[in-house]
Amino acid sequence: MSGVPAVILFAHGARDPRWAEPVLALAQRLRQALPEAFVQPAFLEFLAPSLSEAVEAALALGHRRVTLVPVFIAVGGHLREDLPRLLAPLRAAYPDVSFEVLPALGESERVREAMAATVLEWIGAGE
């Protein structure tokens, strides 16, 4: 499985599990598009699985490439400080695993365009 990616959608989390519904829907869409890949949300707090639990599940399936997708609108303290702090022990424990951290989703111009188009649609200005 070394060439097949494990995709972990890293999100903040919330006490209300309904908060995770968009993240879970994104994971399901990615699973459909990448049926050979392990796609799993992971949460910083309040919800399971944690980042380490998601990584360990991917490794248990034989994956040795882990791509982390920060499901955040922008880079702030969670991505500058918390994510590296959580990732450091995983990198140390699994030196044979490749960990790649992608940019925050909200930093993608395509995502920003989609958000703007959605707002325009919702306010009736996109017609």
Side-chain angles (χ1 to χ4, degrees):
M1 288 245 174
S2 62
V4 178
V7 178
I8 297 179
L9 303 173
F10 181 67
H12 188 278
R15 286 182 177 88
D16 183 346
R18 294 174 295 184
W19 176 93
E21 290 173 3
V23 180
L24 298 174
L26 174 59
Q28 187 57 37
R29 285 183 183 207
L30 290 172
R31 285 183 194 114
Q32 291 170 348
L34 302 167
E36 74 286 358
F38 174 85
V39 178
Q40 176 67 54
F43 300 98
L44 176 63
E45 57 187 2
F46 304 120
L47 296 170
S50 67
L51 179 61
S52 62
E53 290 168 336
V55 167
E56 289 172 10
L59 300 183
L61 293 172
H63 294 276
R64 291 297 173 258
R65 265 183 50 213
V66 176
T67 301
L68 298 171
V69 181
V71 185
F72 286 77
I73 290 181
V75 174
H78 292 315
L79 296 183
R80 279 193 200 97
E81 298 164 20
D82 296 330
L83 180 55
R85 177 181 49 79
L86 295 170
L87 197 51
L90 293 168
R91 283 186 163 138
Y94 305 107
D96 61 325
V97 174
S98 168
F99 291 94
E100 177 184 16
V101 180
L102 299 181
L105 274 180
E107 295 196 349
S108 162
E109 188 58 34
R110 290 180 64 190
V111 171
R112 292 175 184 172
E113 288 171 6
M115 289 190 295
T118 299
V119 170
L120 292 170
E121 179 182 318
W122 285 349
I123 65 172
E127 300 170 6

